[in-house]
Amino acid sequence: MTAPLPDSPRMQMWFDFASPYSYLAIERIDTLARTANVQVDLRPFLLGPIFQAQGWNDTPFRLFPGKGAYMMRDIARLADKYGVVYNRPRLFPRLSVLPARIGLLGQDEPWGRDFCLAVFRANFQHDLDIQAEDVVHGLLNQLSLDADALIARAKSEAAKEALRRQVDRARDLGVFGAPTFFVGGEMFWGNDRLEDALEWAQR
């Protein structure tokens, strides 16, 4: 299957590496986007600061136990429907600041998509601590990237500030959950709106 043409419609996918619904969406998005001839720009960010700004000191999965239990079952059921490998992490949600900084460094680079997918699979397939430097180092090595250099850049003040700006941008756009898709100024929230976003981009 061919990749979208350079002048094809574009959309953004905003996601948090700790989000299982973002994992389901990123596992599906390449095939669907190629079929729709839509280019997808990945935009990693952190949901935590946005939740805090809403007055939540924890993830909705834990703040609302009944809803959290339902969502966990929903994720497993959807993974089975899509044929996506999913193993519920022992620790949920996991911190993901380090991979988010590296994902931001690579969001417009050729390796960025492969790195993001590798992080999601480490978390939701292999139950690895994606915040651990040795885990991230291993993922970068597997992609034949300069792990030491990228991790050093991710620890810099510039990278920290870039991620803060990314979160601010998400907030300014009105993002309140993940994944969120944007086609121009049109927002679509949730894995179950992926197809709708792609259809909108084709208009």
Side-chain angles (χ1 to χ4, degrees):
M1 189 177 296
T2 58
L5 298 172
D7 60 347
S8 59
R10 306 187 77 96
M11 78 176 199
Q12 294 181 345
M13 174 182 170
W14 289 74
F15 62 89
D16 185 314
F17 284 118
S19 162
Y21 286 111
S22 293
Y23 165 63
L24 294 176
I26 204 168
E27 283 284 358
R28 303 189 305 123
I29 199 167
D30 278 352
T31 298
L32 293 173
R34 287 192 186 101
T35 300
N37 192 36
V38 173
Q39 294 191 71
V40 178
D41 300 316
L42 298 181
R43 295 294 179 256
F45 75 111
L46 297 176
L47 265 175
I50 289 177
F51 287 159
Q52 289 168 12
Q54 295 173 350
W56 296 352
N57 60 3
D58 203 344
T59 171
F61 283 84
R62 286 201 291 249
L63 286 173
F64 310 104
K67 182 178 181 180
Y70 170 80
M71 292 169 75
M72 283 300 182
R73 179 60 195 140
D74 186 49
I75 291 157
R77 191 169 54 222
L78 287 172
D80 184 64
K81 172 185 175 181
Y82 301 142
V84 170
V85 177
Y86 170 74
N87 293 302
R88 179 176 173 176
R90 288 169 295 174
L91 179 62
F92 178 83
R94 281 197 163 107
L95 291 175
S96 56
V97 176
L98 177 59
R101 290 179 188 161
I102 295 175
L104 182 52
L105 290 172
Q107 70 175 10
D108 296 315
E109 299 294 331
W111 55 268
R113 187 175 302 270
D114 289 338
F115 173 74
C116 290
L117 192 55
V119 173
F120 272 113
R121 288 176 175 174
N123 192 13
F124 293 109
Q125 291 187 13
H126 306 297
D127 194 23
L128 298 176
D129 180 2
I130 56 172
Q131 178 66 12
E133 188 172 318
D134 61 328
V135 171
V136 175
H137 196 281
L139 296 177
L140 292 167
N141 277 340
Q142 289 169 19
L143 296 172
S144 300
L145 298 169
D146 189 336
D148 290 335
L150 284 168
I151 289 173
R153 286 180 63 193
K155 291 180 175 180
S156 69
E157 286 303 318
K160 295 175 184 178
E161 178 58 28
L163 184 55
R164 284 192 287 267
R165 288 197 305 269
Q166 186 89 328
V167 172
D168 288 343
R169 175 62 176 155
R171 187 183 294 112
D172 291 343
L173 287 169
V175 172
F176 56 85
T180 297
F181 310 99
F182 283 96
V183 180
E186 199 75 23
M187 181 171 74
F188 299 82
W189 171 56
N191 162 68
D192 60 343
R193 293 297 182 265
L194 170 54
E195 287 87 350
D196 290 348
L198 289 167
E199 182 180 339
W200 193 274
Q202 291 177 296
R203 294 187 177 191

